[in-house]
Amino acid sequence: MSYVIGPNCSTCHYCFNTCPVGAIKFVGVEYAIDPEKCVECGACAKVCPAGIISNPATEGKPVPHEPKTIDCDVVVMGAGGSGLVAAVRYKQLTGKNVVVLEKSKKVGGNTNLGHAFTVRYSKLHEKAGMPDLRAEAVESIWNGSDGRDMSKELLRKAVYGLTDMFDWLCGFGDVEESFQLVDLREHPINDGPFVFTPGFFNFPERTENKKSTDHSMGPGWMGSFVIKKMMEQCEKLGIPVLTQTAGADIKVDGDGKFLALEAKDPGGTVTVGAKCLLIASGGFARNERIMRKVRPSFYDGLPTHSFTVASNTGDAIDMGERIGAKTDFKHVKAPMMGPVHHPFNFGVVSLVNDPRVALVNIDGRRFLNEGAPPAPGKPTGPLEDQPEKKAYAVFDNATAEKMGADLLERTKRDPGMHRGMVTWREQLEYECEELDIAAFKADSVAELAKKAGIDEKGLTDEIEKYNMFCREKADDDFEKPPMFLSPVEEGPFYAVLMMRFNEGAEGGLVNDDELRLVKEDGTPFAGIYVVGDACRGVLKRDDEGGKFGEMPWAMASGYLAAAEMAEYTKD
C-alpha cells in the first residue's frame, strides 16, 4: 500500500527531494504521494521532520498497557529547541532527573524548520573585535513596542541570555566550523531582527535536505544543528525523550502548586510526577478554534498557508485554561502576509517577487502598486481585501527573461542561493505543466484567464490598460515607478498564484519575568514554567514592527528557564 502524507504538511520539500521515483508533488498547496507511482520504499517517512508520513498497511497497531507512572524532578512537555535546550541545561546544572515528552513521532518541532537565529554578541564576536551593542538593542526593541507593553527586564534577560546560550552551545563542538560570522560594522542594519548587531551568524551550507532550493526554511539549517546537538547530549546525559507521548492534563493542588502531568501515548495513560513542569509545546497555528479567534479570516477563501509543523496545535493553551492560567491573544505572532508564491518552487517564488509583474485579483484587476514595499509592522497583507484572498502575478515571456537574468545577477554572491535560482525556467515550466493551481501558461491573455480562473474580460481589459501605462511610462492607477512598468504583450503569457502565508502562531499563555506560568489573578503557579512559542514572552501587540525573533526567543527562554527550574528544585 502507498505511503501517505498526513494533514498539515509544512511543505519543507524534504520528501519531494528524496523520493527516488518522483511519486510526490504538490496537490493544491500541500505535498501528496501518487499511489500509482509509490514503490513503498519509505524514504519519505524517514526524512519527514514532522513524522506525518506513514504506510497504513505497515503501521503497527498500538499495544494497550496499564496506566504508567514516572517520577522525576522536572518534566518537559515538548522536544523542540526550547524544550531540549532547557532539559540539557537543567541536567548539567543539577544532575537531577528530567524527562522530555514529545507528542510527535520525531523531535525538533518548528526549530527543525528554522534557518537561523540572531545572536547580537558572543565570545566569537569578542574574538573578532566587534563591539557589544546589546544594551542598545534592548533600548531599540523596547522603544519600538506598542505602548512599551513588553517587559523590559525580560527583554534584557533574553538578549543577554541568548549570548550565554550560544557560548554554551559552542562547548559542544562544530560551531566555528559550521557557522560563519558576517561582519555588519560597515553596513549596520538597525532595524528588524538585526537591530544593533555588529555581526550575525550565517549557516552557509545545509546539513540535510540538501537538494532543497528553498533557503527560507529547514530542515538542515541552524535549527537542525541545535536539535542534533541537544539530542546527542540527551543520550550522553541519560535524559529520556519519549515520542508519541502527548501532555493531556496538568495537575495542581489548591494553591496552584504543580503536582503531575497526565499524558497519553499510543497504548494508554502515562502520569509523570515531578517537582516542576516546563511547557515547551510550541505554537497554536494548527488550532482552528484559536486561529479563528485571533485571525478570523485565516480560513476564508484560499486558506492561509502555514509553514509550521502539524503538532503545533496549542494543546498547552487548553490545558492551561483548565487550571486557571491567564491567556493573552493580543500579544501574539500570527501573521497572514503576502502576496507571495510560497510554498511552491523557490526559484519561481523569487522570480515573481519582482515589481515588474502585474499583480491582479481573480476579477482580473490590479489592486496595488507592485513597486512599493509592504507596510511595515502589520500582521496582515493586502490580500485580505481581495476576493478569495488570492491573486496572480501576470507577465509575458520577455519580462520573464528580464526578471530571470536579474535574479541570477542578484544571487550570484551567495552560491547556495544561486544554485536554486539557476533552474528558475525549468521550475516555472514544471509548475505550469505538472501542478494544478500553482502556475498557468497560455498563448493569449484570454486563454490564460480561462486556465487560471480569472475573469476573462476583467483581465484582458486590465492588461490592455496596463500596457498603455507601460508605453506612456505613467501608472495612473497606482503610481508604480516607470522603471518597473513592463508590458504584458509577447506570448507565451504566465499567471503565477500568489497567496497568503503564515510562519506559525506564537503566544497565548502568559509568563512572568522568571518564565513562570501566570494565573488569571496575575500571580505565578508554583513549579510551572513556559517557554518558546507557547508563551507571550517578549511579543508585542500583534508582534508589530521590530521584534526579538522566534528562534532567538526559543533558544534564550529555554536556557533561562533551566536556571529558574534549578533554583526552584534545589534541595
Side-chain angles (χ1 to χ4, degrees):
M1 187 175 181
S2 168
Y3 276 76
V4 295
I5 301 175
N8 295 325
C9 165
S10 61
T11 59
C12 70
H13 315 293
Y14 208 169
C15 63
F16 171 78
N17 289 316
T18 300
C19 180
V21 294
I24 301 176
K25 70 175 184 180
F26 276 103
V27 175
V29 296
E30 293 189 1
Y31 280 110
I33 300 173
D34 185 343
E36 299 298 320
K37 293 182 179 180
C38 179
V39 294
E40 302 179 36
C41 67
C44 54
K46 291 178 182 177
V47 301
C48 176
I52 63 170
I53 302 179
S54 63
N55 188 330
T58 59
E59 191 84 352
K61 292 184 178 180
V63 178
H65 60 72
E66 294 295 321
K68 296 179 181 179
T69 300
I70 299 173
D71 291 314
C72 58
D73 293 286
V74 167
V75 55
V76 177
M77 186 169 66
S82 55
L84 290 177
V85 165
V88 172
R89 182 61 177 160
Y90 176 82
K91 183 72 172 183
Q92 286 184 331
L93 290 171
T94 67
K96 295 183 177 182
N97 293 328
V98 54
V99 174
V100 182
L101 308 185
E102 170 56 49
K103 69 182 290 187
S104 301
K105 293 180 180 178
K106 297 185 180 180
V107 303
N110 268 4
T111 301
N112 255 340
L113 301 180
H115 190 148
F117 54 93
T118 304
V119 182
R120 291 182 170 83
Y121 196 67
S122 70
K123 291 179 180 178
L124 298 182
H125 288 81
E126 182 180 20
K127 182 179 178 182
M130 295 180 178
D132 182 356
L133 302 178
R134 289 175 294 178
E136 290 88 341
V138 170
E139 291 297 326
S140 177
I141 297 171
W142 186 71
N143 286 333
S145 66
D146 182 12
R148 296 179 175 80
D149 49 8
M150 67 169 65
S151 164
K152 189 174 184 180
E153 174 59 20
L154 184 58
L155 175 63
R156 187 196 64 79
K157 285 183 178 181
V159 169
Y160 284 83
L162 186 59
T163 293
D164 295 337
M165 180 272 165
F166 186 80
D167 288 342
W168 171 75
L169 180 66
C170 290
F172 300 128
D174 301 329
V175 168
E176 293 194 55
E177 295 80 7
S178 304
F179 292 57
Q180 178 186 62
L181 183 56
V182 179
D183 195 331
L184 292 177
R185 283 176 288 183
E186 292 186 7
H187 303 284
I189 306 173
N190 291 330
D191 193 16
F194 298 115
V195 59
F196 290 105
T197 304
F200 73 93
F201 288 108
N202 186 27
F203 200 84
E205 294 294 334
R206 286 183 185 268
T207 56
E208 53 184 304
N209 197 16
K210 294 182 179 181
K211 293 182 181 179
S212 177
T213 63
D214 189 345
H215 266 45
S216 67
M217 68 185 300
W221 299 116
M222 281 173 68
S224 297
F225 180 93
V226 172
I227 297 301
K228 179 183 177 182
K229 290 297 178 184
M230 294 303 102
M231 289 302 293
E232 289 174 354
Q233 291 303 309
C234 284
E235 184 175 353
K236 178 181 177 181
L237 297 170
I239 300 173
V241 180
L242 309 180
T243 57
Q244 292 185 271
T245 307
D249 273 301
I250 301 169
K251 301 299 181 183
V252 296
D253 66 15
D255 295 323
K257 182 179 180 181
F258 176 70
L259 299 174
L261 175 67
E262 284 194 1
K264 302 286 185 182
D265 67 14
T269 301
V270 180
T271 300
V272 185
K275 295 177 182 177
C276 70
L277 162 70
L278 178 67
I279 299 173
S281 53
F284 58 87
R286 303 299 189 184
N287 186 311
E288 185 170 343
R289 176 185 70 85
I290 299 176
M291 287 304 297
R292 287 191 181 278
K293 177 179 181 178
V294 174
R295 297 283 180 260
S297 66
F298 192 87
Y299 301 95
D300 292 352
L302 182 61
T304 309
H305 184 77
S306 187
F307 293 95
T308 187
V309 291
S311 58
N312 276 193
T313 52
D315 300 347
I317 294 174
D318 296 332
M319 294 164 62
E321 288 177 335
R322 289 197 293 272
I323 62 170
K326 186 176 182 179
T327 57
D328 178 359
F329 294 109
K330 293 180 179 179
H331 298 82
V332 295
K333 174 183 179 284
M336 298 188 297
M337 304 306 296
V340 294
H341 188 53
H342 260 316
F344 301 103
N345 290 287
F346 201 59
V348 185
V349 173
S350 303
L351 180 75
V352 298
N353 187 27
D354 188 298
R356 284 170 287 194
V357 302
L359 202 63
V360 302
N361 60 23
I362 62 170
D363 295 330
R365 305 300 184 185
R366 292 173 65 222
F367 55 93
L368 51 71
N369 177 349
E370 298 93 340
K378 292 186 63 179
T380 60
L383 285 179
E384 290 308 294
D385 299 323
Q386 303 308 311
E388 296 188 22
K389 312 293 193 227
K390 64 181 181 181
Y392 289 91
V394 176
F395 51 95
D396 65 9
N397 194 60
T399 297
E401 287 296 326
K402 294 174 185 176
M403 296 191 302
D406 286 353
L407 177 62
L408 296 181
E409 179 65 24
R410 287 199 309 272
T411 60
K412 68 180 182 180
R413 294 182 181 178
D414 185 337
M417 175 76 79
H418 189 72
R419 285 195 295 270
M421 301 300 109
V422 169
T423 57
W424 69 265
R425 170 64 75 174
E426 289 88 340
Q427 294 176 41
L428 177 61
E429 299 300 334
Y430 168 80
E431 290 192 5
C432 292
E433 295 170 7
E434 298 291 336
L435 303 188
D436 53 358
I437 68 171
F440 303 91
K441 177 182 179 180
D443 291 328
S444 70
V445 172
E447 181 187 2
L448 186 70
K450 290 179 181 179
K451 285 187 173 183
I454 305 171
D455 182 82
E456 182 178 342
K457 187 176 188 307
L459 183 61
T460 54
D461 289 350
E462 190 74 356
I463 293 302
E464 182 179 346
K465 181 172 63 171
Y466 180 71
N467 286 341
M468 180 187 69
F469 292 160
C470 294
R471 289 191 298 270
E472 297 177 353
K473 300 186 181 305
D475 177 6
D476 292 344
D477 286 347
F478 298 101
E479 298 184 346
K480 183 175 179 174
M483 69 181 74
F484 300 138
L485 289 170
S486 187
V488 185
E489 56 189 8
E490 300 180 25
F493 301 95
Y494 296 89
V496 174
L497 177 66
M498 306 292 277
M499 54 189 290
R500 300 174 296 172
F501 76 99
N502 162 266
E503 294 177 328
E506 290 81 46
L509 294 174
V510 177
N511 56 276
D512 66 9
D513 287 356
E514 283 71 49
L515 298 173
R516 296 174 294 187
L517 182 66
V518 171
K519 303 175 188 176
E520 290 179 343
D521 65 6
T523 61
F525 287 91
I528 305 180
Y529 298 81
V530 57
V531 294
D533 293 350
C535 64
R536 182 170 73 183
V538 291
L539 290 171
K540 302 178 181 181
R541 186 181 179 92
D542 278 334
D543 198 34
E544 293 183 353
K547 58 185 180 181
F548 183 75
E550 295 75 51
M551 259 187 46
W553 170 248
M555 301 298 104
S557 62
Y559 186 86
L560 292 168
E564 297 290 349
M565 294 188 297
E567 177 67 20
Y568 180 80
T569 60
K570 70 180 181 181
D571 295 329

